[in-house]
Amino acid sequence: MDMNYMKYSEITEILKVLAHPIRLCIVKNLLDQGESNVGHMQTCLKIPQSTVSQHLQKLRYAGVIEGTRHGLEVNYKIRDERIMKLINSILILS
């Protein structure tokens, strides 16, 4: 048995941040579209922009997504290929 459980801390943080329906939906949509901004996500999810921004902040902090600024707009995309594989494997039925 592997007694060094601390090496799993990064992946557990990623799993924790993905364990919310809105964040999981954001990540799935980013996988499908490749890139998106807050305004588009707000329209699709039908929730306030401030709520979307809070969820995006948590996803960014965990290293799941990254944003690229284009003027006043920030476009978000999946940062890590492991996330793509994980989401595609758990949402294979959708």
Side-chain angles (χ1 to χ4, degrees), residues 23-74:
R23 290 192 289 270
L24 191 57
C25 184
I26 288 170
V27 171
K28 174 68 170 119
N29 287 331
L30 287 174
L31 282 174
D32 292 344
Q33 296 176 13
E35 201 171 280
S36 186
N37 63 38
V38 176
H40 184 263
M41 291 180 210
Q42 175 206 6
T43 302
C44 290
L45 294 169
K46 295 179 177 57
I47 58 176
Q49 185 172 339
S50 60
T51 303
V52 174
S53 294
Q54 289 172 0
H55 287 292
L56 289 171
Q57 179 183 12
K58 290 179 182 188
L59 290 166
R60 270 195 326 264
Y61 183 75
V64 173
I65 64 171
E66 63 185 359
T68 305
R69 182 169 293 281
H70 301 283
L72 297 175
E73 189 174 276
V74 178

